[in-house]
Amino acid sequence: MEEAALLIDPEEIAALYRELCQFPSLSSACIGPEVTTQYGGKYCNIYTEWSQRDLERAENVKFCRQYLIFHDSQSIVFSSPSGNCTEIKGELLSRDSPSGAQKAVLRKITNSKGEEKQFLEVWEKSRKVKSIELTALEKHGQVYEDDQFGCLAWSHSETHLLYVAEKKRPKAESFFKPKAPELSNEEELTKAERRDKAVKGEQFVFYEDWGETLVSKSVPVLCVLDIESNNVSVLEGVPDHISPGQAFWTPGDTGVVFTGWWHEPFRLGLRHCTQRRSALFYVDLTGGRCELLTGDTKAIWSPRLSPDQCRIVYLENQASGPHQQCSRLCMYDWYTKLTSVIVDVVPRQSQGEFTGIYSTTLPERCWAADSQRVVLDTAQRSRQELIVIDTLSGSVCSLTKGCPLGSWAILTVDRDLLVARFSTPNCPPKLMVAFLPPAGKETEINWVCLEEASPIQGITWDVRTFQPPPEQINPQYEGLDFEAILLRPTQIPQTGKIPLVVTPHGGPHSVFTTSWTLYPAVLCRMGFAVLLVNYRGSLGFGQDCVDCLPGNVGSQDVKDVQVCVQNVLEEDPLNPQRVALLGGSHGGFLSCHLIGQYPETYKACVVRNPVVNIASMVGSTDIPDWCLTEAGLEYDQAALPDPAQWTKMLLHSPMQYVDKVQAPVLLMIGEDDRRVPPKQGLEYYHALKARGVPARMLWYPGNNHALSGVEAESDGFMNIALWLIKHLK
């Protein structure tokens, strides 16, 4: 039988990858002050930041582009880009002041000696008015620029800046360092002003960090810069057992509200873990008094103050269980001190209805101008949608329901002007804007595209829904379905059958949405069909879907993927003799399970930082709780697993099926992975080699769990493509 044409020439594949990897991703946006013209018309400026891979420089390049919007406060009259793109150098954080008159920038500079220095700059109109070298002040360590702890917040009076930095550590020196010569009193005083006295024997003290992507973050402190005097002070009063972050100024600038994470008895990985115990705190600037604003038994994050400075909304989860869950939207009233749940956890989706909130963060600006409604994006089954929530009634309305199929993300909301990103599996991100209609009329929203992107020719896609067969229904959670997104080449010869690459997502509590992703798009353009599987346990389908998987990993999720594969092989023009697996993290865990449990189905396998042995991972990962929770066990920081628990973790792992593996396996490992330690991949590689199964391992220095370095990502793709071509002949 004639096969569908497949791109196999390495140079042509590299050219295709280069073409598709140049589409930039849209990362952030902010809206400038409103200007009224002499004719009564109004306009504002929208500033956007994008990121693009530069293969030659082997780095992600950040650039900005601005747009002019003429409007009447209800609809957009005219919009246009304002000039070309400009690359942004060294910016770690930037924030406009509340009035829009000033802009603060945290910048990283590497000097001629190769030393990294951090500067806090203030810009006004057409000039830089302040540039303060924070490194030289020695009040604290590196400033946090991450989205977990980091912030750069203007006081309402625009006289102070609030940020988070690493606590200053004592200088350390050897016990055997020679004593410095005696100095005169004047020299001694100058020296004392210049540096603190070094402590002997503290050189090698271990500082615990917050794990994957937060390896340099250990003890965060809240810092305030007085813009007038250039003075930096570190806020007192934060309890020693709390790590503060995500901070902002209270009404009247009398204090600071922040999210605080418990770090005793020891820190656990925080990235993608929205169930770590945390709470909202208030610290008074005058007395240094710190008080708890919310309960202290939950996980709380993303606090956002309303424009009228009366209410704070935030997200809340249980402080245990799966790392990502269906969240509550809660609200704290600054004046009544009352806390309320605005949107509760949704256990199960009603027909076509709202499935709950699944967001790792709220937009920095998410409030409508009425200080009553909040806009956010969330997975709703396999689609990312924008929703508006009325905090008085708790009603939820979709802002994207009637729009073309695809996925949306909100970038900012300011004076009811919404800036959003829209993409599909075959269309790179577009920049969209709209005015939020009045309460009750949200469905009348009218989106305008500011930056167009054309669909990629040759790719077709759709979303498939599946029911588990009767014998695979979870008796505690009956009636759950699941989905997969299938990308297929448009051109199919009448007699041709397309090779299939099956990709289960990681997590396991995450989700593939109908958005632009590089690897599936390039594989599809090469001639592969790609199946992105949202097995039971995925986000966006109700909390019951999340809860049904712990204790059943390695069986229920594996069978769900296999059901999807068997269905599409029967229904679509796909070649059952040319099926491969590609998965990372828990997706790699599932891929290794599938080649062991269904060795006849899969002819090749590629795994990126896979979990292969939960029992051996528990002692070396930054998330040991994951190992027990997903195996259906209780996690206790003070308890060691007993022999029965070790056994259970091993029996949920793909390592137990390694004797049955026939498919050649390519392993891609990040040397600096703290989430799934590199030894996991090495353990599987050795087991395959010992059994004569073809195996190859790629080892990427300087890369963590995501393997998202530009060089690792591009080299990784080429190796994946050539491995699939070689073993799907």
Side-chain angles (χ1 to χ4, degrees):
M1 182 179 283
E2 180 193 344
E3 299 294 348
L6 190 65
L7 197 62
I8 59 172
D9 180 79
E11 288 194 9
E12 289 181 28
I13 297 168
L16 178 64
Y17 181 87
R18 180 184 292 278
E19 176 196 338
L20 296 192
C21 85
Q22 284 182 346
F23 290 108
S25 61
L26 177 53
S27 52
S28 67
C30 70
I31 300 168
E34 195 172 89
V35 180
T36 304
T37 69
Q38 61 192 59
Y39 307 108
K42 286 183 278 195
Y43 70 89
C44 61
N45 181 66
I46 295 181
Y47 172 92
T48 61
E49 288 188 5
W50 306 67
S51 174
Q52 182 182 335
R53 300 166 180 87
D54 186 324
L55 296 182
E56 278 65 36
R57 280 161 51 179
E59 62 178 317
N60 279 304
V61 176
K62 273 174 69 178
F63 62 91
C64 67
R65 194 169 197 201
Q66 304 196 48
Y67 303 83
L68 276 176
I69 301 280
F70 287 84
H71 64 86
D72 61 8
S73 298
Q74 293 172 334
S75 59
I76 290 151
V77 178
F78 175 76
S79 61
S80 170
S82 174
N84 287 323
C85 306
T86 311
E87 187 174 344
I88 304 167
K89 294 272 192 177
E91 266 192 27
L92 300 177
L93 289 172
S94 67
R95 292 291 182 274
D96 282 358
S97 65
S99 69
Q102 300 180 90
K103 181 178 183 175
V105 175
L106 174 70
R107 197 179 303 277
K108 179 179 75 176
I109 300 290
T110 306
N111 66 13
S112 55
K113 296 176 185 173
E115 300 165 329
E116 273 190 9
K117 296 185 180 294
Q118 288 184 326
F119 292 81
L120 197 50
E121 305 167 348
V122 177
W123 293 76
E124 200 176 83
K125 293 180 179 171
S126 58
R127 65 194 181 114
K128 187 195 296 189
V129 293
K130 290 274 178 183
S131 184
I132 298 155
E133 187 188 335
L134 296 174
T135 318
L137 296 179
E138 294 194 347
K139 293 286 184 76
H140 51 69
Q142 292 285 297
V143 179
Y144 287 23
E145 82 299 342
D146 61 276
D147 55 8
Q148 185 69 51
F149 293 101
C151 65
L152 186 55
W154 286 88
S155 62
H156 303 291
S157 62
E158 304 195 1
T159 57
H160 292 75
L161 282 165
L162 171 68
Y163 59 92
V164 177
E166 183 66 21
K167 186 177 181 180
K168 186 184 179 185
R169 293 181 188 172
K171 287 191 168 66
E173 65 183 24
S174 165
F175 285 111
F176 302 99
K177 186 176 180 183
K179 202 172 181 183
E182 292 293 324
L183 299 172
S184 69
N185 286 346
E186 192 176 326
E187 286 177 313
E188 192 63 52
L189 183 64
T190 312
K191 183 184 170 192
E193 285 173 347
R194 202 169 58 244
R195 69 180 184 86
D196 300 328
K197 189 170 170 57
V199 183
K200 291 188 185 294
E202 297 275 316
Q203 288 165 284
F204 304 108
V205 170
F206 172 66
Y207 286 92
E208 210 173 65
D209 60 41
W210 284 99
E212 177 69 17
T213 76
L214 298 167
V215 289
S216 59
K217 317 292 196 304
S218 179
V219 187
V221 288
L222 300 173
C223 307
V224 172
L225 168 72
D226 182 326
I227 296 170
E228 186 61 39
S229 68
N230 291 1
N231 185 49
V232 169
S233 53
V234 176
L235 296 192
E236 303 287 334
V238 177
D240 288 342
H241 63 280
I242 294 297
S243 284
Q246 301 180 0
F248 59 87
W249 298 87
T250 61
D253 294 336
T254 55
V256 167
V257 172
F258 64 90
T259 306
W261 285 269
W262 271 253
H263 54 232
E264 297 294 345
F266 55 84
R267 290 161 180 76
L268 291 163
L270 205 47
R271 173 68 68 206
H272 303 308
C273 300
T274 56
Q275 86 314 0
R276 297 283 180 239
R277 185 184 173 197
S278 47
L280 271 196
F281 293 85
Y282 161 68
V283 62
D284 185 325
L285 286 186
T286 48
R289 177 176 53 88
C290 189
E291 65 180 82
L292 199 58
L293 299 183
T294 58
D296 62 358
T297 60
K298 304 284 188 188
I300 281 167
W301 74 104
S302 276
R304 303 290 185 255
L305 182 65
S306 60
D308 65 6
Q309 300 181 33
C310 291
R311 288 170 289 280
I312 299 167
V313 289
Y314 57 89
L315 294 168
E316 179 186 279
N317 276 355
Q318 300 301 322
S320 61
H323 281 174
Q324 297 200 74
Q325 312 168 12
C326 184
S327 304
R328 290 181 182 87
L329 183 74
C330 299
M331 187 166 73
Y332 175 82
D333 188 298
W334 185 253
Y335 294 102
T336 66
K337 312 295 183 198
L338 295 175
T339 302
S340 52
V341 175
I342 306 301
V343 176
D344 212 336
V345 170
V346 177
R348 192 70 66 99
Q349 180 192 26
S350 311
Q351 189 62 40
E353 291 300 308
F354 174 62
T355 66
I357 296 173
Y358 310 85
S359 300
T360 51
T361 183
L362 291 176
E364 185 146 310
R365 299 184 75 116
C366 61
W367 283 92
D370 58 16
S371 291
Q372 181 176 319
R373 293 174 296 163
V374 172
V375 180
L376 57 107
D377 55 57
T378 176
Q380 296 290 286
R381 298 180 70 87
S382 300
R383 190 178 175 203
Q384 188 92 352
E385 291 205 39
L386 304 189
I387 59 170
V388 57
I389 298 167
D390 189 310
T391 58
L392 292 185
S393 66
S395 65
V396 179
C397 175
S398 170
L399 294 172
T400 49
K401 203 159 195 175
C403 298
L405 283 176
S407 282
W408 295 75
I410 188 77
L411 300 173
T412 192
V413 186
D414 196 354
R415 303 183 300 274
D416 285 347
L417 183 56
L418 277 57
V419 185
R421 179 179 70 226
F422 172 75
S423 71
T424 71
N426 68 341
C427 184
K430 299 180 179 189
L431 175 62
M432 310 293 288
V433 291
F435 274 98
L436 180 66
K441 297 185 176 179
E442 289 93 348
T443 53
E444 296 172 16
I445 192 164
N446 181 29
W447 289 100
V448 174
C449 183
L450 282 190
E451 191 69 60
E452 194 60 70
S454 301
I456 305 300
Q457 297 303 307
I459 300 175
T460 181
W461 64 275
D462 65 328
V463 179
R464 308 287 176 91
T465 304
F466 301 93
Q467 304 287 339
E471 69 278 8
Q472 290 174 25
I473 290 171
N474 186 324
Q476 285 179 276
Y477 298 96
E478 293 181 9
L480 293 175
D481 61 2
F482 52 99
E483 291 185 342
I485 304 164
L486 180 65
L487 285 75
R488 248 179 36 187
T490 310
Q491 296 297 322
I492 307 168
Q494 286 184 346
T495 54
K497 289 205 169 183
I498 307 164
L500 175 65
V501 178
V502 179
T503 300
H505 63 68
H509 308 293
S510 65
V511 63
F512 282 128
T513 58
T514 54
S515 52
W516 171 256
T517 318
L518 181 62
Y519 275 22
V522 187
L523 286 169
C524 197
R525 277 287 305 275
M526 281 177 62
F528 291 101
V530 182
L531 186 67
L532 308 171
V533 184
N534 288 327
Y535 45 87
R536 282 173 291 170
S538 302
L539 301 178
F541 294 78
Q543 182 61 22
D544 283 358
C545 187
V546 174
D547 289 337
C548 77
L549 186 55
N552 298 304
V553 294
S555 54
Q556 179 182 292
D557 44 4
V558 173
K559 288 169 182 163
D560 283 358
V561 176
Q562 191 66 9
V563 164
C564 289
V565 172
Q566 287 167 339
N567 269 274
V568 297
L569 288 176
E570 288 169 11
E571 294 173 8
D572 292 81
L574 305 172
N575 190 335
Q577 303 308 313
R578 301 173 80 192
V579 182
L581 285 155
L582 167 60
S585 193
H586 190 86
F589 167 93
L590 292 177
S591 299
C592 294
H593 262 297
L594 286 154
I595 56 174
Q597 293 189 42
Y598 301 97
E600 302 304 320
T601 305
Y602 303 98
K603 300 299 183 284
C605 179
V606 180
V607 285
R608 297 155 49 90
N609 290 324
V611 176
V612 299
N613 183 346
I614 302 176
S616 66
M617 177 170 136
V618 72
S620 53
T621 174
D622 68 334
I623 50 165
D625 59 308
W626 181 93
C627 300
L628 286 104
T629 298
E630 296 304 335
L633 303 165
E634 286 290 319
Y635 175 70
D636 177 354
Q637 277 186 284
L640 293 172
D642 60 35
Q645 291 176 319
W646 288 112
T647 303
K648 191 169 184 185
M649 286 188 279
L650 182 61
L651 291 176
H652 280 282
S653 303
M655 191 56 95
Q656 65 168 318
Y657 297 104
V658 72
D659 286 330
K660 297 180 180 175
V661 173
Q662 300 167 22
V665 179
L666 172 65
L667 294 121
M668 302 165 68
I669 305 298
E671 185 176 69
D672 299 338
D673 190 347
R674 296 283 295 278
R675 185 106 325 165
V676 179
K679 289 290 169 66
Q680 285 283 298
L682 200 59
E683 191 178 331
Y684 201 62
Y685 176 72
H686 287 153
L688 293 171
K689 297 286 278 185
R691 287 157 180 77
V693 178
R696 183 170 187 238
M697 187 155 76
L698 302 173
W699 188 270
Y700 293 104
N703 274 264
N704 56 23
H705 190 57
L707 288 175
S708 57
V710 170
E711 193 172 27
E713 189 188 46
S714 54
D715 177 82
F717 181 82
M718 291 304 298
N719 275 285
I720 290 168
L722 298 176
W723 189 261
L724 296 176
I725 289 163
K726 178 180 177 181
H727 296 289
L728 291 184
K729 282 180 179 172

